[in-house]
Amino acid sequence: MTNTHDSSPGRSCDDATTQRNASGAAEWDVLPDDDRINILLVDDDPKNLTVLESILAEPRYRLVRAASADEALLALVAGEFAVIVLDIQMPGMSGFELAQMIKKRKKTASVPIIFLTAYYGENQHILEGYETGAVDYLQKPVNTTILRSKVAVFAELNQKTRDTQAINHALLAEVSERRRVQEQMAQLNDELELRVHQRTSELLQANQALRESEEMLRLAQQAGKVGIWDWNLKTGEGKWTDAAAELFDPRETMDSVTFAKWLSCVHSDDQERVARCVREAESIGGYRDEYRVKTSTAETRWVESIGAVEYDGGVATRMRGVVRDITERKKMELELQDADRRKDEFLAMLGHELRNPLASIRNAVSIMRRLEHQDADLQWCHEVVDRQVVQLTRLVDDLLDVSRISRGKIQLQQEVIEVSTVIHQAVESCQPLIESREHQLNVTLPSQPVYLRGDAARLTQVVGNVLNNAAKYTDVNGGIWLTVETDADNPAQVVIRVRDNGRGLDADSIANLFNLFYQAEHNLDRADGGLGVGLAVVRALVELHGGSVEARSAGIGLGSEFFIRLPRLPAAVPMNCLPAPPQDVLMPAGHRILVVDDNLDAARSLGMLLKLLGHKVVLAHDGQQAIEVALRERPEVIFLDIGLPRLDGYQACRSLRQHGFTREMIVAITGYGQEDDRNRSKDAGFSSHLVKPVELTAIQQLLADFAADDKLRE
C-alpha cells in the first residue's frame, strides 16, 4: 500500500506520524508498534516526496515523510528507522548538516543515509557527503530500480536485526523457564541433593561477583563515571574497562593488559614513583596517585587513580580501583600557579620600584634634620614626612605580603603602647582626606591612659584604615565619631569605635566586608574606590593582636559603625615597660664606605648622609664599576644594591669576596625583602640584608657593630 501525504492541518499520511497544527508546524506521535519497516523520506519538495513514495511503495514499508530537517529530527526522536533517504539541497539546514546531527546522536548514529542530489559529478560534493556519514549517493532523477534495491538491502538488514532481537528475547525467556523448572525439580527430588549443592555453590559465586561489581561501581560513581581496573597482585595480570583503556592505550583489550604493560603507558618521568606507590599500597591497604600517561597519539594526559587492596591470610592478593582523567584540572592548576608566580614577581618588582624613591626621601629627610635645627615648623615637617614614609613603607609591605595577610602570618613587632598615641597618629595620617571632604571629626579618649601590648605601626594602620573607610563612604560635610572606651561586658578589653553618618551597609556587604578584595560599592569613576584590601588587613592584624573587629549598620543611607576590640594591659604599667625614645647610636666615625646603587638619588642621598656622619664615601652605579672602585679605594664597608646593571649585587658580592674582601662588611641595601631574597644574599656572601628605605639608626648600628668587631679582631 502506498503512503500518501496531505499537508492540510490535522491530516496524516496512512498511519505515519506526521500531522500539521494550525501554524503549519509538524507534530509527531509515537509510531505504532507493528511489523512494518520504517523508512524516512526527507525532501523540501512535496512532489519529490510523492515520487519517492510511489517508487518505494510496498506493504511491508511504512514511509514517513519529512519536508524539512526539523521534521526529520522530530521523526527520528519519535521512532526507529531502517534507512533515511535524504535530499541534500534543502532550505535552512542542508542535508549534510542534518546528517552530521544524526550521526552525533547515539540513538541514530547507525541509521544508514542515502543522499539524493542533482550534483553528482562534483567530486568535492560527493566526498563531503560520505564524510558526513552517507552510505550511498544517488543522482536525481533517481533510478527506480537502484533506489528500490538499495532500500531493500537496508530494510532486509533491519528486519534481520529485529528478528535476531526477537530470537534473543525468546531464548532468554526459554532459559529463564528452564531455570525455573530446574529449581522446582531440585526442591522436589531429594535424590538430586548433590546437584542442588552444586547449584547453590554457583549461586554463591554469582552473588559474590555481583557484590564485587557493585563495589567497583560504587568506586566509579564516587570518582564520577571513570574507568575501572582490577589487578592480580600475585600474577601481575589485570583487566580494565573500556573507559580505562581509552585513558591508557585504546589498542589494548580488557583481557590482555598486564601490570608491566600498564606501567609502560605511564610517563617515563613518573614510572619509578608510580611503581613505588603501588608497592607501598600493598602494605598500607590503599592507593591514590596522580601521574601522567602517554597515549598512542603521543598526547600526554594527567590521570588520578584510587584503589583498595584485598588480603588473603594477611597477604595482599588483589587491588581494585578507578581512574579518571584530570588533564583539564591540571592545566588550570598550572595556569593558576603561573599566574600566581607572575603576580608575586610583579609585586616584588613593584615593591622594589616603590622602595627606591622612599629610600631617597628618607635619606633626604635625615640630611635636612641634621642641617636644620632652629626652625620648629621645618622640624615638624621633617617629622611628618618621615612618619608618612614609615607608614607608606609598611603599606608597601602589606601589598607584597597580601597572601600572607590572608593566612594570618604577618609578624608583629610588639611593645607596650598607649592607645591615645595610636589614635593621634592614625588621625594625623587620615587628616588630609577628612579635611578635603569637610567632615566633622569628633574624638573622645578615656581620661586615664589605656595600655596595650602590640605593634604600634600596625595598630595605627588598623585605625587609619577604618577612619579612611569612614571618610571615603561619608558624603561631604558628614560626621565621624571616634571613641575609645573600656568594654562594659569585658573590662579586660578596650573598644575603639568609629561611627559615621555616611552611606551605610546592607546585610550582604556586612557579611563580606572583611574579605580580601571585596568592595561594597563599584563606582565607575573610582572616586571612592580602593583595592579592597584595607579591611581584610584590619581583620588580620586585629586577630593577630588577640582581638576582634565587627561592622554594624542600620541599612543603606543610615551610616555605619566599626568596633575594634583589643586586650588591654593593667592600668598601672611600670615605666620600664614603656618603649624608650629613639636615640642615635654612638659610633666612631671615619670609615671608608662605598655606596653602590643605580638609582642616582638613592646613592647620592645615602652618600651625603654618611659624609655628614664623618665618613669618607665614594659612589658607584653598577656592579662592574663597584668592583673596579672597590679594588682601587679599598673601602671597609660597602652598601651594595642588588638590582644593578652589568653585574647584579649577588654577582658583585661574590666577585668582591673572591678578590680578597673577606674581612670587610658588605651590606645588601635593596627593595627586595622576601625570605628567598635574604637567603640568596646570605649565600652570595653579604654580611647583612637591609630593605629600603633603611632607617638611619639601623645603618648606625651596623657601623657600630662593625667597629666593635674590628677592634676585637685587632
Side-chain angles (χ1 to χ4, degrees):
M1 178 174 63
T2 304
N3 289 335
T4 60
H5 179 77
D6 190 334
S7 60
S8 301
R11 294 288 301 278
S12 62
C13 62
D14 193 23
D15 56 349
T17 60
T18 307
Q19 64 180 16
R20 302 282 178 170
N21 58 24
S23 64
E27 295 180 348
W28 296 91
D29 298 322
V30 178
L31 294 172
D33 186 14
D34 58 23
D35 293 335
R36 284 189 293 172
I37 298 170
N38 295 323
I39 299 174
L40 181 58
L41 309 177
V42 187
D43 199 307
D44 60 307
D45 189 341
K47 294 179 181 179
N48 291 342
L49 289 174
T50 302
V51 171
L52 291 174
E53 285 180 338
S54 64
I55 294 174
L56 299 175
E58 188 174 326
R60 65 192 184 108
Y61 295 163
R62 177 186 291 104
L63 304 177
V64 179
R65 299 168 56 132
S68 66
D70 291 339
E71 289 187 14
L73 291 173
L74 289 173
L76 289 167
V77 170
E80 297 182 358
F81 292 87
V83 64
I84 302 172
V85 180
L86 176 57
D87 183 33
I88 293 177
Q89 300 296 328
M90 292 192 299
M93 186 184 299
S94 71
F96 290 154
E97 294 171 331
L98 175 58
Q100 290 175 346
M101 292 188 66
I102 291 171
K103 292 304 178 180
K104 288 180 179 179
R105 295 180 66 246
K106 184 177 180 181
K107 179 181 176 182
T108 59
S110 60
V111 179
I113 299 175
I114 299 176
F115 275 134
L116 300 180
T117 181
Y119 303 99
Y120 189 77
E122 299 180 9
N123 290 336
Q124 183 61 33
H125 205 258
I126 296 172
L127 290 175
E128 186 176 357
Y130 283 118
E131 288 176 356
T132 56
V135 298
D136 215 330
Y137 207 102
L138 299 180
Q139 183 179 11
K140 293 181 180 180
V142 177
N143 185 300
T144 301
T145 303
I146 294 176
L147 178 60
R148 285 177 179 169
S149 175
K150 292 182 180 295
V151 170
V153 171
F154 294 116
E156 184 67 23
L157 178 62
N158 180 264
Q159 185 63 52
K160 288 182 179 180
T161 301
R162 293 164 65 179
D163 293 344
T164 302
Q165 291 175 346
I167 293 172
N168 287 339
H169 287 308
L171 288 174
L172 289 174
E174 181 180 351
V175 170
S176 179
E177 179 63 19
R178 287 184 178 181
R179 287 180 178 174
R180 186 184 65 80
V181 172
Q182 289 175 353
E183 290 175 359
Q184 290 178 348
M185 292 177 63
Q187 294 173 1
L188 298 174
N189 194 346
D190 293 340
E191 295 180 358
L192 297 179
E193 182 178 352
L194 180 60
R195 177 69 179 273
V196 170
H197 177 74
Q198 293 174 345
R199 181 62 177 169
T200 302
S201 177
E202 292 174 1
L203 289 174
L204 289 175
Q205 292 178 4
N207 288 335
Q208 177 65 22
L210 178 61
R211 286 193 296 270
E212 293 172 354
S213 298
E214 290 175 346
E215 178 64 14
M216 293 173 69
L217 178 61
R218 184 185 67 82
L219 291 171
Q221 289 174 338
Q222 287 179 345
K225 296 181 180 180
V226 297
I228 302 173
W229 48 267
D230 189 345
W231 299 115
N232 185 323
L233 297 178
K234 291 184 176 180
T235 64
E237 297 177 349
K239 56 184 179 179
W240 53 24
T241 61
D242 292 341
E246 283 295 325
L247 289 176
F248 292 104
D249 192 343
R251 299 169 298 180
E252 290 296 326
T253 63
M254 182 174 179
D255 298 325
S256 64
V257 67
T258 63
F259 183 84
K261 173 59 181 176
W262 164 74
L263 192 60
S264 68
C265 296
V266 177
H267 195 281
S268 57
D269 292 343
D270 296 340
Q271 285 183 1
E272 182 178 352
R273 180 181 56 79
V274 169
R276 183 175 65 254
C277 289
V278 172
R279 291 193 297 270
E280 293 173 352
E282 297 182 17
S283 59
I284 63 178
Y287 170 74
R288 186 174 193 136
D289 195 12
E290 296 179 359
Y291 50 89
R292 292 164 292 178
V293 298
K294 302 172 297 183
T295 66
S296 57
T297 60
E299 176 189 6
T300 299
R301 291 178 181 168
W302 276 94
V303 299
E304 179 183 34
S305 288
I306 306 172
V309 180
E310 294 183 3
Y311 298 89
D312 184 4
V315 178
T317 58
R318 185 179 185 182
M319 182 161 60
R320 296 178 300 164
V322 295
V323 61
R324 65 188 181 115
D325 191 331
I326 59 170
T327 303
E328 291 303 317
R329 191 192 81 189
K330 279 293 184 180
K331 286 181 179 178
M332 287 189 289
E333 287 178 0
L334 292 174
E335 289 173 359
L336 288 173
Q337 290 173 2
D338 186 57
D340 189 59
R341 177 187 57 78
R342 291 197 301 269
K343 177 205 70 176
D344 291 340
E345 291 175 354
F346 167 75
L347 290 177
M349 182 59 66
L350 177 62
H352 179 266
E353 294 302 318
L354 290 174
R355 284 181 171 129
N356 273 327
L358 288 175
S360 302
I361 294 171
R362 168 162 284 175
N363 292 339
V365 169
S366 298
I367 293 169
M368 287 188 292
R369 276 180 171 174
R370 292 186 172 272
L371 294 177
E372 178 60 64
H373 298 285
Q374 289 78 20
D375 192 323
D377 290 337
L378 185 58
Q379 186 68 21
W380 176 83
C381 291
H382 297 164
E383 293 174 355
V384 170
V385 173
D386 190 54
R387 186 162 52 249
Q388 296 309 313
V389 168
V390 171
Q391 186 70 4
L392 183 56
T393 302
R394 299 301 290 270
L395 291 176
V396 171
D397 290 337
D398 279 348
L399 181 61
L400 296 176
D401 294 332
V402 66
S403 61
R404 295 175 59 208
I405 291 174
S406 66
R407 298 193 301 270
K409 294 186 177 180
I410 295 297
Q411 298 296 320
L412 301 179
Q413 300 174 6
Q414 298 205 20
E415 57 186 351
V416 176
I417 54 178
E418 208 275 306
V419 174
S420 62
T421 303
V422 171
I423 299 300
H424 289 312
Q425 292 178 354
V427 169
E428 182 179 344
S429 67
C430 299
Q431 199 67 42
L433 176 61
I434 294 173
E435 291 178 353
S436 68
R437 299 180 72 90
E438 300 180 8
H439 293 323
Q440 180 65 39
L441 175 62
N442 303 280
V443 180
T444 303
L445 299 175
S447 57
Q448 298 296 325
V450 176
Y451 296 101
L452 304 173
R453 182 175 295 278
D455 188 318
R458 292 298 190 180
L459 290 178
T460 300
Q461 181 181 349
V462 166
V463 179
N465 282 358
V466 176
L467 275 176
N468 268 319
N469 191 74
K472 285 195 299 182
Y473 296 106
T474 299
D475 293 334
V476 175
N477 294 320
I480 301 174
W481 292 263
L482 193 161
T483 304
V484 179
E485 59 190 10
T486 301
D487 192 335
D489 297 328
N490 186 359
Q493 282 190 332
V494 61
V495 181
I496 303 173
R497 299 170 54 190
V498 178
R499 180 171 63 88
D500 62 67
N501 59 2
R503 303 173 195 176
L505 299 165
D506 56 23
D508 182 67
S509 295
I510 291 176
N512 295 281
L513 199 60
F514 296 100
N515 292 334
L516 193 62
F517 305 127
Y518 177 81
Q519 293 177 318
E521 295 187 0
H522 302 277
N523 301 324
L524 291 178
D525 59 8
R526 299 290 295 162
D528 299 326
L531 298 177
V533 173
L535 292 181
V537 172
V538 166
R539 180 175 65 177
L541 294 178
V542 170
E543 290 177 353
L544 281 175
H545 283 85
S548 62
V549 61
E550 175 189 6
R552 298 178 188 174
S553 177
I556 300 298
L558 300 176
S560 57
E561 188 169 11
F562 286 78
F563 297 80
I564 303 169
R565 294 181 173 86
L566 296 166
R568 55 177 295 190
L569 293 175
V573 178
M575 292 302 296
N576 57 6
C577 292
L578 297 177
Q583 298 179 353
D584 287 347
V585 178
L586 299 177
M587 49 162 281
H591 288 300
R592 297 188 307 278
I593 300 177
L594 169 62
V595 175
V596 186
D597 201 316
D598 59 327
N599 185 300
L600 299 183
D601 287 340
R604 291 172 181 173
S605 60
L606 179 57
M608 186 179 298
L609 186 59
L610 291 170
K611 286 180 179 178
L612 289 175
L613 295 175
H615 302 289
K616 180 182 178 182
V617 180
V618 290
L619 304 180
H621 303 296
D622 63 58
Q624 186 62 44
Q625 186 184 23
I627 296 173
E628 295 170 357
V629 173
L631 292 175
R632 182 178 68 248
E633 300 293 336
R634 305 304 300 186
E636 303 167 88
V637 179
I638 302 174
F639 290 107
L640 180 60
D641 188 24
I642 298 295
L644 295 171
R646 299 177 70 184
L647 289 179
D648 62 36
Y650 301 124
Q651 296 170 321
C653 182
R654 291 191 186 94
S655 179
L656 288 170
R657 294 301 189 194
Q658 293 171 359
H659 281 83
F661 284 80
T662 57
R663 298 181 58 182
E664 289 76 7
M665 182 170 67
I666 305 178
V667 181
I669 296 188
T670 176
Y672 297 107
Q674 300 297 318
E675 190 65 27
D676 290 343
D677 302 319
R678 296 180 182 275
N679 292 335
R680 287 188 65 187
S681 65
K682 183 178 179 180
D683 293 340
F686 281 99
S687 309
S688 297
H689 186 109
L690 299 179
V691 180
K692 297 177 180 178
V694 182
E695 294 185 4
L696 178 59
T697 54
I699 294 177
Q700 290 176 304
Q701 186 63 59
L702 275 177
L703 294 175
D705 293 342
F706 174 72
D709 292 342
D710 196 43
K711 287 184 178 181
L712 289 176
R713 286 194 295 269
E714 292 177 357

